[in-house]
Amino acid sequence: MTNNNMIFVANWKMHGNFNDISKVKTVLNLIKNKKFKKIKVIYCPPFTLLQSFSNFFKNTKFCTGAQNCHYKNEYGPYTGNINAKLIKSTGAKYIILGHSENRNEGETDILINQKIKSALKEKLNIIFCIGETKAEKKKKITFQVLKKQLSRGLKNIKKTNKILIAYEPVWSIGSGIVPSKEELENNLKNIKKILRECNFKNTIKILYGGSVNPKNANEISKIDGIGGLLIGGASLNSKKFIDIIKKSSN
Ligand code: PGA
């Protein structure tokens, strides 16, 4: 079954300049088609473009999200950092937290938990990334890894209505390799099981991220339990991004 209320998150990482707004316009025009009435598109450009993209999206169905924030939600001497308050002031509605590229730079589950709480205080919606590395998959400890990331990342968070989970196997990000259907189904089931075990609502939507492209989007989006896609590299190319949206939402 394909989904017509999918969420598509474009994670631009450290790419993009103001002129790229023209790329976004092409995608926005497509979405005007009523066939795509129910889908949601969230652009997560670098901080430098958040405000201009948010302004551009006013009165449209698109919105913006940041890619990270500082854990403190106060103003102060934190040179080079951006907190959730500042992100909120750009008009952004979402924030990606716990991305493996930041975990790789030393971000711990505890820090991610603090960032999630900070962003929730500003009423931002969270795209909380989890996923196992290649070594963890080889050791067959994916379940334990996901459980640790979920239980620590969401510790003491009672209201989960603003949280989306993005399952992104680290070995799949940017590699062109995606999990098999069985593997993905199994990991999605496990994520739901862990959420139940930790007493979190199982209405939390789960997105998939990692090497999504126009060729694999249809198959991935049909997998039971997928509520959306988090797209890195392919989202920088509006033609590919449009193809992904078309193939995943009909
Ligand atoms: P990718 O990145 O689509 O380029 O693999 C996904 C992500 O890191 O969010």
Side-chain angles (χ1 to χ4, degrees):
M1 191 186 73
T2 28
N3 238 325
N4 63 3
N5 57 359
M6 290 272 283
I7 299 175
F8 298 91
V9 184
N11 178 10
W12 275 19
K13 308 191 180 186
M14 207 158 68
H15 297 276
N17 61 55
F18 183 73
N19 294 332
D20 287 329
I21 210 126
S22 64
K23 288 186 182 175
V24 176
K25 269 188 199 162
T26 325
V27 183
L28 190 57
N29 282 337
L30 166 94
I31 305 305
K32 284 187 183 142
N33 185 320
K34 53 173 200 288
K35 195 169 133 204
F36 301 109
K37 219 167 63 193
K38 290 195 182 151
I39 68 164
K40 190 171 220 130
V41 178
I42 304 156
Y43 267 91
C44 301
F47 288 131
T48 47
L49 296 175
L50 266 184
Q51 180 134 26
S52 51
F53 275 38
S54 302
N55 287 343
F56 183 70
F57 292 155
K58 261 188 197 145
N59 305 319
T60 76
K61 280 164 47 70
F62 281 28
C63 62
T64 56
Q67 300 171 16
N68 202 358
C69 70
H70 192 268
Y71 74 98
K72 293 237 184 194
N73 199 27
E74 63 202 37
Y75 298 115
Y78 304 102
T79 304
N81 286 291
I82 308 264
N83 65 11
K85 262 192 222 307
L86 294 169
I87 288 167
K88 183 76 188 216
S89 73
T90 67
K93 303 257 185 300
Y94 284 79
I95 180 164
I96 296 173
L97 288 171
H99 194 283
S100 62
E101 285 153 14
N102 294 320
R103 291 181 189 261
N104 236 347
E105 302 269 328
E107 195 176 64
T108 61
D109 292 314
I110 295 169
L111 190 59
I112 295 163
N113 177 255
Q114 287 172 316
K115 291 183 180 192
I116 294 179
K117 286 177 178 159
S118 202
L120 284 175
K121 271 198 191 128
E122 293 305 315
K123 302 199 168 34
L124 289 166
N125 295 284
I126 317 292
I127 301 161
F128 172 36
C129 302
I130 56 168
E132 79 286 3
T133 62
K134 193 171 179 179
E136 289 162 343
K137 171 176 146 78
K138 267 197 177 157
K139 278 201 245 159
K140 299 194 187 328
I141 55 166
T142 298
F143 183 86
Q144 290 87 323
V145 170
L146 298 178
K147 185 162 185 176
K148 182 174 88 53
Q149 292 175 340
L150 281 166
S151 58
R152 295 192 185 169
L154 296 178
K155 193 168 180 203
N156 294 329
I157 292 169
K158 298 270 168 329
K159 276 179 85 179
T160 50
N161 59 326
K162 283 192 163 300
I163 293 181
L164 302 170
I165 287 166
Y167 170 56
E168 296 205 301
V170 182
W171 49 272
S172 173
I173 296 175
S175 67
I177 306 166
V178 294
S180 68
K181 185 171 180 276
E182 294 68 37
E183 185 176 1
L184 190 46
E185 272 172 352
N186 189 41
N187 287 337
L188 290 171
K189 262 192 216 139
N190 282 336
I191 292 170
K192 294 204 163 175
K193 183 170 171 219
I194 296 164
L195 289 173
R196 274 195 310 273
E197 280 176 11
C198 298
N199 291 323
F200 294 118
K201 284 216 175 95
N202 70 354
T203 48
I204 300 184
K205 271 204 177 193
I206 306 173
L207 319 186
Y208 169 77
S211 293
V212 176
N213 63 40
K215 287 201 183 112
N216 58 29
N218 181 264
E219 188 176 7
I220 295 174
S221 62
K222 279 194 281 189
I223 291 176
D224 199 28
I226 294 275
L229 301 170
L230 175 48
I231 305 140
S235 71
L236 288 164
N237 175 316
S238 41
K239 189 179 166 331
K240 285 190 185 163
F241 193 45
I242 287 173
D243 265 2
I244 291 172
I245 296 176
K246 283 186 177 164
K247 292 193 167 137
S248 328
S249 47
N250 55 31

